[in-house]
Amino acid sequence: MKKVVKFGGSSCASAAQFKKVGDIIRGEDARRYVVVSAPGKRYNADTKVTDMLYKAYALAEKDEDFTKVLDDIKARYQEIIDGLGLSLNLDDEFKTIAEQFKAHAGSDYAASRGEYLNGLVAANYLGYEFIDAADVIFFDNDGNFLPDETNDVLSKRLEGVDRAVVPGFYGSKLDGTVKTFSRGGSDVTGSIVAKAVHADIYENWTDVSGFLVADPRIIDRPKAITMITYKELRELAYMGAGVLHEDAIFPVRKEGIPINIRNTNAPDDPGTMIVESTCAKSEYTITGIAGKKGFVGVYIEKDMMNSEIGFGRKVLQAFEDYNISFEHMPSGIDTMTIVVHQSEFEQKEQQVLAAIHRLAQPDTVNLVTDMALIAVVGRGMKDNRGTAGRIFSALAHAHINIMMIDQGSSEQNIIIGVDNKDFEMAIRAIYDIFVTTRS
Ligand code: ASP
């Protein structure tokens, strides 16, 4: 049994948190490959080391004095080192970092030092080998991640290495400069390492006990999701259910390696298991509900639209020309609606509307603004009659008007558009009908 374990920023924020990490790792012999984030927040108003590094580098870029911020960062690591009783000395590392900052090594280099230094601390504390991510994770010179090159080098490097720490979040471009993933990217590193060592499982340790059926800011103590498929997760994550970086599923998904989200502060909780597919039925018909506010529907009408070949393409061309990605496209016989993010659309709305008229000559174009989209996701829907019916009657009982409905043929996902102001109430109504009353 081989496990890759990734610990997020809050799990490594202080010596006390690091001790929990040590106990978890030593608790199971299989936990052999460790990926760490930079130290995160110790309390709500605290600042993440990554953010402190960006701040210090912004000063360095303007050739202003960054020593104070860098000293504060050093103090964060020293507190951990002292608290763990280690004799590790990071003086030389900080000297190099200061020199590189002065030489304008780049903000990616700066941000990556959070994970790099924390990797050194973790390796020293655990007695594991340290492997610099810059030597084993690669990006092309435009900054695109190179999965095959990375996997070749990383899997060879880890062959015969019994236990190692790899810092998360960064790698290097082919020209040797350091490049980071987007924020939260240590999750991606964990997934890449899990693939390279053919791990049996990728444990992602964070500060919550996995995914919840709905947002706890809207539902009071929502139920946890024990098992979710990659596909369901993708649908929910797209609608804003955070916990795991969006790109973290791709490397392991192809290999059939499950991800287990676990809580460093409650290590006995089973967390959420993310799998390719499963016989396990979800406890409720639905697996989760997620949503976002701030969409606009561009509602287009044209007589005989259904028989005009190429109409849809011409309409979409107008959005493409202005670099606006569309989210959904429900249609009727002579109507179609293009759903886009309002904030993105607003800046270019008149140009896009003119382009639609020019390219597709519709009869009318209307805007349905301030719409929230709610995704009700679940593999259990496929075998259950009446899921949509229950959603709609729950919303009707709550006096909520439905502005749009979209169901993909996968039968795993129903998207409902409601007015922004009805968003929270709609989520509560749907949660109640499926989870609270379990009808
Ligand atoms: N430390 C980085 C961030 O704050 C990456 C990570 O934690 O995954 O985004």
Side-chain angles (χ1 to χ4, degrees), residues 109-130:
Y109 166 81
S112 75
R113 295 306 87 185
E115 272 69 11
Y116 170 81
L117 294 167
N118 220 23
L120 291 175
V121 174
N124 190 281
Y125 174 53
L126 296 166
Y128 281 24
E129 182 171 341
F130 173 79

Side-chain angles (χ1 to χ4, degrees), residues 37 48 50 115 169 183-186:
S37 283
K48 291 179 174 191
T50 310
E115 272 69 11
F169 191 38
R183 295 299 302 264
S186 299

Side-chain angles (χ1 to χ4, degrees), residues 309-318 336 359:
I309 292 170
F311 185 84
R313 179 182 52 75
K314 289 174 201 157
V315 169
L316 293 180
Q317 183 71 51
M336 66 189 285
L359 293 164

Side-chain angles (χ1 to χ4, degrees), residues 77-323:
Y77 287 99
Q78 202 55 51
E79 191 187 301
I80 296 171
I81 290 170
D82 295 342
L84 295 175
L86 306 176
S87 54
L88 180 67
N89 185 321
L90 295 177
D91 285 354
D92 287 347
E93 297 292 348
F94 273 94
K95 232 168 95 194
T96 310
I97 292 170
E99 279 162 19
Q100 291 296 324
F101 273 32
K102 280 188 191 131
H104 295 183
S107 64
D108 277 20
Y109 166 81
S112 75
R113 295 306 87 185
E115 272 69 11
Y116 170 81
L117 294 167
N118 220 23
L120 291 175
V121 174
N124 190 281
Y125 174 53
L126 296 166
Y128 281 24
E129 182 171 341
F130 173 79
I131 295 178
D132 188 352
D135 298 335
V136 286
I137 291 180
F138 303 111
F139 297 83
D140 68 19
N141 287 339
D142 294 327
N144 303 305
F145 172 57
L146 294 169
D148 296 335
E149 289 79 347
T150 296
N151 196 55
D152 284 352
V153 173
L154 183 58
S155 54
K156 277 201 196 83
R157 178 68 181 81
L158 288 171
E159 238 171 46
V161 176
D162 198 38
R163 283 161 202 281
V165 174
V166 182
F169 191 38
Y170 71 95
S172 62
K173 290 193 201 171
L174 297 176
D175 66 11
T177 54
V178 167
K179 165 90 187 112
T180 62
F181 291 104
S182 56
R183 295 299 302 264
S186 299
D187 286 341
V188 185
T189 310
S191 187
I192 292 166
V193 175
K195 175 179 165 149
V197 299
H198 302 291
D200 295 282
I201 191 161
Y202 167 26
E203 287 180 349
N204 187 294
W205 292 81
T206 176
D207 52 8
V208 290
S209 295
F211 285 88
L212 300 170
V213 173
D215 188 335
R217 287 166 300 186
I218 300 174
I219 304 289
D220 184 31
R221 284 181 292 131
K223 300 276 181 206
I225 301 175
T226 45
M227 180 94 83
I228 187 169
T229 65
Y230 286 122
K231 214 169 171 176
E232 290 172 314
L233 177 64
R234 183 103 179 93
E235 308 264 12
L236 289 172
Y238 164 77
M239 278 296 185
V243 172
L244 189 70
H245 190 292
E246 261 201 307
D247 295 338
I249 61 176
F250 297 113
V252 285
R253 182 180 181 164
K254 276 201 188 138
E255 306 295 308
I257 300 169
I259 305 176
N260 189 192
I261 309 287
R262 299 286 293 267
N263 189 348
T264 302
N265 304 318
D268 294 332
D269 286 358
T272 301
M273 202 67 155
I274 308 166
V275 296
E276 165 87 67
S277 61
T278 173
C279 297
K281 298 253 183 301
S282 43
E283 209 172 325
Y284 316 98
T285 307
I286 59 164
T287 303
I289 313 163
K292 273 189 202 164
K293 291 182 183 175
F295 291 92
V296 57
V298 182
Y299 178 75
I300 301 161
E301 272 187 347
K302 185 174 189 181
D303 280 346
M304 306 299 287
M305 182 193 288
N306 70 323
S307 54
E308 184 179 329
I309 292 170
F311 185 84
R313 179 182 52 75
K314 289 174 201 157
V315 169
L316 293 180
Q317 183 71 51
F319 288 89
E320 188 176 342
D321 286 353
Y322 288 94
N323 208 17

